[in-house]
């Protein structure tokens, strides 16, 4: 995850120089269009294989064949959608960009089965290697395409190239998958029954990730949409990487111990506290440093994106809890609850983005979407804890100990920087912000030591022994 994040940071710095604000608006519109085929691209086949890993050998061939058919159908549907959305957003370039993305869908669909196969074996070293390899291929090709003038085509081309290369690597290293492409009526409905909730949740999940772009693309001009997308991605990259790490690591672990209630509760709580601690530290850094860093790196080009990034970072420690809730519910096979929460998330982000954008433009949209993302975590996490048989007072204690210390410290950082005022010189501004971030992190660690010492013990076992 750290390697991927470093590559992401370098990529965004370079792309911020190479690409125009309008190009980022095209990225946002393309991302919104892909939400309509998310259920085809990632149907949940991998999740079902992991959740039902004891039956892997008997169900893998049918589910893999189904994934191939869904990927092909998704490619066809995306091309049809591209015709309408390129006209609706008055972006003719979207049609060929989405046509390239359509070719990618079947490869991503099948590649998810390879990842599931490694997850079932708990082969996290292999998963990490392939994930890092994919990320490296993607970002290298993305920067190459952008530098050669591909503009809005950059992401689509990089995604296709990386997906195809990874598919070849999987075949050479892991071998061909066992596939059943011929279904009887009974076997088809059996597979469909196993996937119906994951397909629906995957489809809805696409809108939880892109619903704001879909709505704001109709409210904002290209510049405003580009600024919003750029600022959102400054923080969202962390969320995507953490969500991927949570899904690939914790989903198979939780699924393997799903019948041992006490052990599952301990593992869930330990993982949740660790993730909350790490995400809070990262976001304190973003809140403190991003304004000066963005201004310094791009000489003011992306300054309108700063507020968006800070707003998203402020509620991110709550948002990441939704990812923890997801893996807990999926490990227990609670697909219906998972889908209902996703439905709220998808509808909520579109409504909040629409109201915020209509009422307050770019700033209003950032505040509204950040608020919604925090509320989602506050709703989803208690549902997951109750599904794992935690008591209500345990849910309350978790939020008080693990999440609440972040917010007063982050608010103080913002207020202190406003009181301090501007520092002369670009380098001095960044160094001053870094110093504030370091101080805030030290205070946060100190508060955690007083209120929830065992979390620090996960990193330094001696602390728990002394306690």
């Amino acid at each position: 995850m750290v390697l991927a994040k470093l590559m992401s940071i370098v990529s965004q710095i370079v792309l911020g120089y190479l690409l125009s604000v309008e190009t980022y608006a095209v990225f946002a519109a393309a991302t919104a269009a892909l939400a309509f085929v998310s259920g085809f691209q990632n149907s949940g086949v991998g999740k079902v294989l992991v959740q039902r890993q004891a039956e892997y050998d008997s169900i893998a061939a049918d589910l893999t064949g189904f994934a191939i058919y869904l990927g092909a159908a998704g490619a066809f549907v995306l091309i049809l959608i591209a015709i309408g959305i390129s006209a609706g957003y008055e972006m003719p370039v979207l049609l060929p960009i989405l046509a390239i993305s359509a070719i990618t869908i079947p490869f991503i669909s099948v590649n998810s089965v390879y990842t599931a196969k490694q997850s079932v074996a708990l082969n996290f070293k292999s998963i990490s290697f392939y994930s890092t390899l994919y990320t490296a291929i993607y970002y290298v090709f993305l920067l190459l395409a952008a530098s050669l003038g591909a503009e809005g085509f950059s992401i689509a081309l990089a995604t296709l190239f990386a997906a195809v290369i990874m598919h070849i690597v999987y075949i050479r290293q892991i071998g061909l998958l066992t596939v059943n492409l011929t279904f009887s009526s009974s076997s088809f409905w059996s597979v469909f029954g196993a996937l119906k909730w994951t397909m629906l949740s995957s489809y809805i999940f696409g809108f939880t990730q892109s619903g704001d772009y879909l709505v704001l693309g109709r409210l904002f001009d290209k510049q405003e949409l580009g600024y919003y997308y750029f600022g959102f991605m400054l923080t969202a990259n962390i969320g995507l990487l953490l969500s991927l790490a949570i899904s690939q690591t914790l989903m198979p672990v939780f699924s393997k111990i799903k019948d041992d209630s006490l052990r599952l509760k301990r593992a869930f709580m330990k993982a949740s506290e660790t993730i909350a601690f790490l995400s809070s530290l990262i976001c304190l850094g973003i809140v403190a440093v991003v304004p000066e860093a963005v201004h310094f790196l791009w000489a003011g080009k992306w300054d309108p994106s700063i507020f968006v990034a800070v707003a998203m970072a402020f509620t991110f420690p709550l948002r990441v809890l939704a990812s923890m809730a997801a893996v807990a519910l999926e490990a227990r096979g609670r697909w219906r609850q998972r889908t209902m929460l996703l439905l709220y998330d998808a509808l909520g982000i579109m409504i909040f983005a629409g109201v915020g954008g209509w009422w307050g433009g770019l700033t209003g949209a950032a505040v509204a979407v950040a608020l919604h993302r925090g509320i989602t975590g506050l709703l989803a996490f208690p549902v997951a804890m109750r599904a794992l048989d935690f008591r209500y007072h345990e849910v309350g204690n978790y939020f008080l100990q693990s999440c609440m210390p972040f917010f007063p410290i982050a608010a103080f950082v913002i207020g202190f920087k406003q009181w301090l005022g501007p520092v002369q010189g670009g380098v001095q501004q960044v160094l001053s912000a870094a110093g504030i971030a370091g101080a805030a992190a030290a205070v946060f660690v100190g508060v955690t030591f007083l209120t929830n010492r065992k979390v620090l013990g996960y990193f330094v076992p001696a602390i728990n022994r002394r306690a």
Side-chain angles (χ1 to χ4, degrees):
M1 187 190 73
V2 172
L3 288 172
K5 183 56 189 169
L6 288 174
M7 286 185 276
S8 171
I9 291 172
V10 172
S11 172
Q12 191 149 8
I13 291 173
V14 176
L15 293 178
Y17 283 106
L18 293 176
L19 302 178
S20 66
V21 178
E22 289 77 11
T23 298
Y24 275 89
V26 173
F27 290 161
T31 304
L34 288 170
F36 289 99
V37 293
S38 55
F40 296 95
Q41 180 172 274
N42 184 13
S43 60
V45 166
K47 292 179 179 179
V48 171
L49 286 172
V50 172
Q51 198 269 330
R52 295 172 56 181
Q53 52 191 269
E55 309 167 60
Y56 181 88
D57 292 335
S58 61
I59 65 175
D62 285 346
L63 290 176
T64 303
F66 206 77
I68 291 173
Y69 285 128
L70 284 174
F76 178 73
V77 170
L78 182 58
I79 291 174
L80 295 180
I81 290 172
I83 297 171
I85 204 166
S86 61
Y89 282 13
E90 298 180 353
M91 294 181 184
V93 73
L94 272 180
L95 182 55
I97 289 173
L98 291 175
I100 294 171
S101 297
I103 302 171
T104 311
I105 293 176
F107 289 100
I108 293 177
S109 182
V110 176
N111 287 353
S112 69
V113 180
Y114 279 105
T115 302
K117 187 175 183 178
Q118 297 166 78
S119 294
V120 169
L122 300 183
N123 192 352
F124 299 125
K125 183 177 181 180
S126 177
I127 293 172
S128 176
F129 169 76
Y130 289 122
S131 177
T132 305
L133 179 62
Y134 172 85
T135 304
I137 295 170
Y138 170 79
Y139 282 118
V140 168
F141 194 85
L142 174 63
L143 294 177
L144 180 63
S147 64
L148 293 175
E151 291 289 337
F153 288 87
S154 302
I155 289 181
L157 289 171
T159 305
L160 174 60
F161 185 79
V164 171
I165 293 299
M166 284 309 303
H167 189 71
I168 295 171
V169 170
Y170 281 137
I171 291 174
R172 290 181 62 86
Q173 296 298 319
I174 300 176
L176 291 169
L177 296 169
T178 303
V179 182
N180 177 23
L181 293 174
T182 58
F183 291 96
S184 64
S185 177
S186 60
S187 63
F188 173 85
W189 289 112
S190 175
V191 172
F192 181 79
L195 290 174
K196 61 183 179 182
W197 285 108
T198 60
M199 287 173 60
L200 181 59
S201 64
S202 295
Y203 188 81
I204 298 171
F205 181 75
F207 288 95
T208 70
Q209 302 301 298
S210 311
D212 48 347
Y213 306 144
L214 191 65
V215 173
L216 296 177
R218 299 291 296 169
L219 290 175
F220 289 174
D221 59 30
K222 289 182 181 180
Q223 281 223 331
E224 285 181 306
L225 184 60
Y227 286 131
Y228 177 85
Y229 182 84
F230 190 87
F232 188 92
M233 292 308 295
L234 285 170
T235 303
N237 277 331
I238 301 170
L240 292 171
L241 291 169
L242 277 176
S243 297
L244 182 64
I246 291 169
S247 177
Q248 289 185 348
T249 304
L250 298 181
M251 172 63 173
V253 171
F254 289 170
S255 295
K256 193 168 284 290
I257 60 175
K258 63 185 176 184
D259 297 323
D260 187 339
S261 181
L262 185 60
R263 189 179 176 195
L264 179 58
K265 286 175 65 175
R266 285 200 304 262
F268 177 80
M269 184 56 69
K270 182 175 181 178
S272 299
E273 289 175 330
T274 304
I275 292 293
F277 177 78
L278 291 174
S279 61
S280 295
L281 278 179
I282 292 169
C283 289
L284 281 173
I286 293 175
V287 168
V289 176
V290 154
E292 288 76 15
V294 169
H295 180 76
F296 175 71
L297 285 171
W298 292 290
K301 176 182 177 180
W302 293 104
D303 280 6
S305 300
I306 291 173
F307 185 84
V308 180
V310 172
M312 300 306 165
F314 195 83
T315 59
F316 179 77
L318 291 178
R319 175 65 182 189
V320 76
L321 296 180
S323 297
M324 288 300 307
V327 294
L329 293 173
E330 290 169 357
R332 275 284 176 93
R334 303 287 183 88
W335 304 114
R336 185 175 300 182
Q337 281 181 300
R338 167 69 170 141
T339 303
M340 292 300 103
L341 288 170
L342 280 172
L343 184 60
Y344 157 76
D345 193 3
L347 292 175
I349 197 169
M350 289 189 283
I351 293 170
F352 274 70
V355 172
W358 172 78
W359 174 68
L362 184 61
T363 300
V367 171
V369 171
L371 179 64
H372 164 75
R373 286 162 62 82
I375 292 172
T376 300
L378 286 173
L379 288 176
F381 196 74
V383 170
M385 291 189 75
R386 291 294 296 154
L388 298 182
D389 302 321
F390 283 94
R391 295 184 177 90
Y392 285 109
H393 76 273
E394 292 176 304
V395 177
N397 286 340
Y398 174 84
F399 280 108
L400 287 174
Q401 291 182 337
S402 299
C403 297
M404 290 306 106
F406 165 81
F407 294 102
I409 297 172
F412 180 80
V413 167
I414 294 172
F416 178 76
K417 289 181 67 180
Q418 292 294 319
W419 173 81
L420 186 64
V423 176
Q424 297 299 318
V427 175
Q428 289 87 338
Q429 288 178 356
V430 175
L431 291 175
S432 173
I436 293 171
V443 171
F444 179 75
V445 171
V447 172
T448 302
F449 181 81
L450 295 174
T451 61
N452 198 16
R453 187 174 305 181
K454 65 179 182 294
V455 176
L456 300 180
Y458 301 151
F459 302 93
V460 186
I463 291 176
N464 278 345
R465 288 199 297 270
R466 290 170 186 167

